[in-house]
Amino acid sequence: MVSFSTRLFARFDAREQLKLIFIAVLVGICGGYASLLLNMALHEASGWLQDLRTQWYAIFFPAIGITLAVVTFRYVFRDQGEHGVPEVIYAISKRGGLLRL
């Protein structure tokens, strides 16, 4: 009896398998570097803001950050809040698999 994975990979030739492996490795490397860059940026920003922690107006920083995030998502990205599995299923069934950016 032939296993499912054997039947699945029998449909792909060697070039397509190598292409998928190359893309997976490239995505993994880029994701790792993005994670390192984000970590370094957060450490640098916390160093810059360390002196401001003792100021009285520092209590407003979280509120300012939340306000900026809400404004950005509401007016720049115009996010409708449709995420997850139902959105993907709808896109596959009705729009040929096309998802919004």
Side-chain angles (χ1 to χ4, degrees):
M1 175 161 213
V2 180
S3 69
F4 175 74
S5 62
T6 305
R7 285 185 286 145
L8 178 67
F9 285 112
R11 295 182 184 181
F12 296 113
D13 63 350
R15 284 184 289 149
E16 288 182 18
Q17 287 180 357
L18 286 175
K19 195 183 330 179
L20 287 174
I21 290 171
F22 176 74
I23 291 171
V25 168
L26 186 64
V27 166
I29 290 171
C30 290
Y33 278 124
S35 172
L36 286 173
L37 184 65
L38 177 63
N39 193 5
M40 290 177 7
L42 288 173
H43 281 291
E44 190 68 28
S46 69
W48 291 341
L49 297 174
Q50 189 70 25
D51 296 335
L52 297 176
R53 290 180 64 188
T54 58
Q55 303 299 325
W56 66 270
Y57 51 83
I59 61 172
F60 296 111
F61 288 163
I64 293 169
I66 290 171
T67 304
L68 288 174
V70 167
V71 167
T72 301
F73 279 106
R74 183 168 292 165
Y75 297 110
V76 175
F77 295 125
R78 299 189 189 273
D79 191 11
Q80 301 299 322
E82 300 171 357
H83 299 33
V85 175
E87 174 79 11
V88 173
I89 291 173
Y90 180 79
I92 290 171
S93 65
K94 301 293 183 189
R95 296 187 298 224
L98 295 176
L99 294 171
R100 291 185 339 215
L101 182 60

